[in-house]
Amino acid sequence: KTYEDLYKFSVNNSDDFWGELAKTRLDWYKPFSQVSDCDMNSGNIKWFDGGKLNVSVNCVDRHAAKHPDKVALIWEKDEPGNTEKVTYSQLLAMVCKISNCLKDSGVKRGDRVAIYMPVSPIAVAAMLACTRIGAVHSVVFAGFSADALAQRIQDAGVETILTTDQGVRGGKVIELKKTVDAAVQKCPSVKRVFVSKRTGENAPKTNLDIDLDAAMKTASENFTPEVMDSEDLLFMLYTSGSTGKPKGIVHTQAGYLLYASMTQKYVFDYHDGDIFGCVADIGWITGHSYVVYGPLSNGATTVLFESIPTYPDPGRYWEMVERLKINQFYGAPTAIRLLLRYGDSFVKKYDRSSLKVLGSVGEPINHEAWEWYHNVVGDGKCDVVDTWWQTETGGIAVTPRPSGPNDKIIPAAPMRAFFGIQPAILGSEQEDLQGVNEGALCIKNPWPGMARTIYGDHERFMDTYYRPFPGHYFSGDGAKRDEEGFIHITGRMDDVLNISGHRLGTAEVEDVLDEHPDVAEAAVVGVPHAVKGEEAFAFVTVKENFSRDHETLVKELQGLVRERIASFAVPSQMLVTEGLPKTRSGKIMRRILRKVAAGQVDDLGDISTLADPTVVSILIRDSNFVF
Ligand code: WT7
């Protein structure tokens, strides 16, 4: 059968397609009774109902039984050239030990457990231990601040946290335990904090601490896995939307695992024995699906990259590719854009002949970066796959591969739908736009990896994803279809920014700025940036009695954003001004702010609907005083 036949079968006979795969690719305690039962109008979504399985068994036990000494994890530590390998049988022992530690301390099926750790075997084993005992993990990116961590702990009612004493990235120490302790101060729900050693420097201690390494030493290497229902919660992962509060996106057991597994195998043409190198952090969905669940469910050797692309120098990735003989490399456009500025020599010094597929994820890849990735990194010999997906889709949804082996790949576009996905481009009247067209990127049909809800807020889930275009999943992205029917992503349609591949709601930053006692009002917009893709630009107006200098205020505001959210969220430019452009109904006209932020003040477009057009000349005047 050709790829085309298979794709048609996957969408026309979706239940047969996914049902057969679920039966043959996953190990079940009890077979499912129904493949899918999904209603995209009510957001009631069930896959493989009635089935019982355990995710850690599918990711570890079944491979450990077949090839115990195969390497499951290669930990590429921050310290250059330092790696640690963990075989499937060792991983199984680690997972069981942590499961026992968690259970002995009182963690039960259904409990939410926060993981705030660097990319490391202990973190991966902690995620899998949660799945083994039926707890729901919430991995929080270890770059988020104490306040951001606290907010996520509170929203999920977390009682248990796993962390390390410190982290190291690019040679710099990150005080993880200190941050956890500060977060816990605001979270009375927390009953215990498991701490594992990364650096061994004296991190602060509290009476909630449990030494994870010590507890594991005496724990048993056996743990009978919890028998989970297909639709039990597997994990939640917070992501940004267009309102201030991050959303806890919920994924469940069987559908998510199958989708991560299938996409890892077919998008990257993964074969037994390949070394799979996804350099994402486990704090993001890319790390969940393509560092942990996809590769491990397929019994692969997966690389855990703890460092940064420029440490000790901009050859880090390619030196690692040579040393570890990586076959599939999956990274972010922002890193590619950064590295290409250092020239080709850092790439060419190293042997990259092991590479077969190069993946790109998280944001649009520009043509220059795509060409460099293809021609220089891949020597023109690798398929470059620009993969479009989201935290909410669970796995890759639009991607140049799989497709026929001779089907062309065009630069910088995700092009084709994955098996079982029917993308649609919808217009402002909710019409399904055919042919060459541009509109809202939606998905017409259910797929196993789709998010099930927002933790504790199904109404927000419906409002965000299913009500804008009834009967469809709405992604929040715009897309266009070209003459050949290929899909190109045009960018977010809502107020969500993408800064170095990090998703951030402008409202999240505005909420923080508004907290400052001197700020009357704040508006944040994105401005294009050559390496980061986008940056945040903040406009603030101050209260009437404000008389201090603007520079000090800007510093305070930057500090506040760093403290409440994370460093990546700090607006790179700020303008303290006297008024924001508003319509007569009081809505801030961000279109105008975007132009001012980008320095295009000569081209502001129609300003006739402004309540007070004089605001514009003040803004233009003040735009000479940007910090
Ligand atoms: C948003 C999702 C995909 C997993 C990591 C990020 C943007 C993602 C692409 C791409 C253009 C892309 C979209 C999307 N995005 N991949 N290949 N081309 N844009 O997951 O944090 O949930 O962000 O990232 O805007 O909606 P996320």
Side-chain angles (χ1 to χ4, degrees), residues 286 361-364 386-391 477 492 498 503:
T286 310
V361 60
E363 45 173 328
D386 173 9
T387 59
W388 177 87
W389 59 295
Q390 314 175 289
T391 305
D477 281 322
R492 297 289 309 190
N498 195 323
R503 185 163 153 185

Side-chain angles (χ1 to χ4, degrees), residues 237-240 249 280 284-287 289-290 330 333 360-365 385-398 412-414 441 473 475-478 488-494 496-498 501-504:
L237 186 60
Y238 285 85
T239 190
S240 296
I249 299 295
W284 311 113
I285 190 70
T286 310
S289 301
Y290 302 108
Y330 195 26
S360 170
V361 60
E363 45 173 328
I365 183 163
V385 287
D386 173 9
T387 59
W388 177 87
W389 59 295
Q390 314 175 289
T391 305
E392 295 87 340
T393 65
I396 295 164
V398 186
L441 178 58
Y473 167 78
S475 67
D477 281 322
H488 302 246
I489 308 297
T490 54
R492 297 289 309 190
M493 298 177 78
D494 52 13
V496 170
L497 306 182
N498 195 323
H502 297 331
R503 185 163 153 185
L504 181 70

